[in-house]
């Protein structure tokens, strides 16, 4: 292996030092937020509220986990929310038409994956910056979804299908089990596989990665397709949870997913971050939103507070990384 290859594949080693320190700070933040909210509101530590926080965090995580891989390559996917909406509406139509939840789930996953792959094609083949390509795709998907639904709402899905997003198993919401499964898969893929190391290498230095023989184009297509497929999975969870699908279902999902990735420590410049960090980011964001609801903070102020937290998280992350 050449020196360039060794350098390009080196970022995962930082998980044992720099990223471990960042993870400690984020876990400390989770503890402090929980302690403050427990003091301010007696209902925060109730079992029902804790399970609700975990369920909401899992929904954000499904979208943000795929997005993490994109950001690790120094890219961005602004179309994930619109992708969720289109995939949910298409999957809901298939379930209503065929009566088969399995076919609907497969259709939703395929729809999300195809949208993600198209994003990857625009970024790699057409060389459009990911921010512009996915922002354009956001508007295309919104237009398609509103045209497809024609102002109608789908509702009334089979009871078995609704258990995916609303059911419990041994006292825990089923989405939490799915979160644990995909958290394990995502962490193993990013940290323990050659493909995952190549994704870090592309984000750290795409020129060195290409010179070292890494198939950059194919890896970028892969990460955008994975991001789209995870959006498709989130669409199934939302469809099952809400028991309905309408064109505007994904309008409020993109920014929280991006916020979870950034709060979790993944760098917008690529090459730094972990899927587990994104889970912690989704948990912190959900705890803050949950706390504001419990404390009856006006909905008009919540986006302001969330934005300040994201800015502070990114600033502190950059500052501590410079020190380490």
């Amino acid at each position: 292996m050449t020196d360039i290859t060794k350098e390009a594949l080196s970022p995962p080693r930082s998980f044992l030092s720099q990223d471990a320190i960042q993870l400690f700070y984020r876990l400390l933040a989770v503890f402090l937020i929980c302690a403050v909210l427990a003091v301010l509101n007696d209902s925060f530590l109730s079992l029902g509220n804790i399970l609700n926080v975990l369920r909401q965090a899992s929904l954000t995580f499904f979208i943000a986990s795929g997005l993490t891989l994109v950001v690790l390559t120094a890219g961005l996917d602004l179309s994930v929310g619109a992708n969720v909406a289109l995939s949910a509406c298409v999957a809901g139509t298939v379930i209503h038409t065929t009566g088969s939840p399995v076919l609907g789930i497969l259709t939703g996953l395929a729809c999300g994956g195809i949208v993600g792959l198209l994003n990857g094609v625009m970024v790699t083949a057409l060389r459009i910056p990911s921010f512009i390509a996915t922002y354009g795709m956001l508007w295309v998907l919104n237009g398609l979804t509103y045209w497809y639904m024609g102002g109608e709402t789908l509702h009334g899905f089979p009871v078995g299908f609704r258990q995916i997003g609303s059911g419990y198993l041994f006292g825990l919401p089923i989405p939490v089990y799915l979160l644990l499964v995909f958290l394990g898969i995502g962490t193993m893929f990013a940290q323990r596989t050659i493909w995952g190391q190549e994704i870090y290498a592309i984000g750290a230095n795409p020129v060195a990665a290409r010179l070292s023989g890494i198939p950059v184009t194919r890896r970028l297509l892969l990460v955008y397709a994975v991001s789209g497929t995870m959006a498709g999975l989130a669409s199934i969870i939302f469809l099952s949870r809400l028991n309905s699908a309408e064109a505007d279902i994904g309008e409020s999902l993109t920014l929280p997913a991006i916020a979870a990735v950034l709060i979790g420590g993944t760098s917008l410049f690529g090459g730094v971050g972990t899927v587990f960090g994104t889970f912690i980011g989704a948990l912190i964001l959900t705890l803050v939103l949950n706390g504001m609801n419990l404390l009856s903070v006006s909905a008009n102020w919540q986006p302001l507070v969330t934005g300040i937290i994201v800015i502070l998280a990114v600033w502190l992350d950059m500052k501590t990384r410079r020190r380490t």
Side-chain angles (χ1 to χ4, degrees):
M1 184 178 288
T2 65
D3 291 340
I4 292 178
T5 304
K6 291 178 179 177
E7 181 181 354
L9 296 180
S10 63
R13 291 201 300 265
S14 64
F15 178 76
L16 298 177
S17 54
Q18 192 179 73
D19 284 348
I21 296 173
Q22 301 298 321
L23 179 61
F24 170 77
Y25 287 140
R26 284 171 177 78
L27 291 174
L28 182 62
V30 170
F31 174 78
L32 291 176
I33 292 171
C34 290
V36 171
L37 291 177
V39 172
L40 295 178
N41 191 289
D42 295 337
S43 301
F44 174 74
L45 290 179
S46 66
L47 179 60
N49 188 60
I50 295 299
L51 294 180
N52 183 52
V53 167
L54 292 174
R55 188 201 302 274
Q56 293 300 325
S58 67
L59 295 175
T60 301
F61 171 77
F62 291 133
I63 305 174
S65 60
L67 185 59
T68 302
L69 299 181
V70 175
V71 178
L72 281 174
T73 65
L76 193 59
D77 186 352
L78 295 175
S79 68
V80 286
N83 193 354
V84 170
L86 179 63
S87 300
C89 292
V90 172
T93 303
V94 171
I95 294 175
H96 267 213
T97 304
T98 66
S100 171
V102 174
L103 193 56
I105 292 171
L106 294 176
T107 303
L109 294 176
C111 181
I114 291 171
V115 170
L117 190 59
L118 289 175
N119 283 332
V121 169
M122 286 193 291
V123 171
T124 57
L126 303 182
R127 298 190 180 282
I128 302 174
S130 60
F131 178 87
I132 303 299
T134 58
Y135 186 64
M137 180 61 80
L138 180 156
W139 288 99
V140 170
L141 296 178
N142 279 340
L144 279 175
T145 308
Y146 277 96
W147 167 80
Y148 180 74
M149 295 301 289
E152 296 185 358
T153 300
L154 297 171
H155 55 81
F157 297 102
V159 175
F161 174 73
R162 289 162 56 189
Q163 291 299 308
I164 298 174
S166 304
Y168 287 79
L169 186 64
F170 303 117
L172 280 179
I174 291 177
V176 176
Y177 289 101
L178 295 175
L179 180 151
L180 295 175
V181 170
F182 283 95
L183 177 60
I185 293 174
T187 300
M188 290 296 295
F189 174 78
Q191 302 290 335
R192 301 297 179 188
T193 68
I194 293 296
W195 285 14
Q197 294 179 13
E198 290 175 347
I199 289 171
Y200 277 97
I202 292 170
N205 192 331
V207 175
R210 185 173 285 105
L211 291 175
S212 65
I214 293 175
V216 174
T217 299
R218 279 184 286 173
R219 294 297 172 265
L220 289 177
L221 288 174
L222 172 68
V223 298
Y224 281 95
V226 169
S227 177
T229 303
M230 291 305 295
L233 174 65
S235 76
I236 300 302
I237 306 296
F238 275 97
L239 190 64
S240 170
R241 170 73 174 159
L242 301 175
N243 193 28
S244 67
E246 50 190 346
D248 62 351
I249 189 176
E251 288 184 353
S252 62
L253 302 178
T254 300
L255 291 182
I258 294 174
V261 174
L262 298 182
I263 293 172
T266 300
S267 171
L268 280 174
F269 300 103
V272 175
T274 64
V275 175
F276 188 77
T278 295
F279 163 65
I280 299 298
L283 188 58
I284 290 175
L285 185 64
T286 307
L287 283 170
V288 171
L289 293 174
N290 179 260
M292 286 192 289
N293 288 328
L294 290 177
L295 298 175
S296 301
V297 176
S298 169
N300 296 327
W301 287 100
Q302 293 189 14
L304 173 66
V305 175
T306 304
I308 292 174
I309 290 172
V310 171
I311 292 172
L312 284 175
V314 174
W315 177 71
L316 289 172
D317 183 69
M318 293 175 64
K319 190 174 182 179
T320 53
R321 285 185 188 280
R322 289 195 193 104
R323 289 179 177 176
T324 55

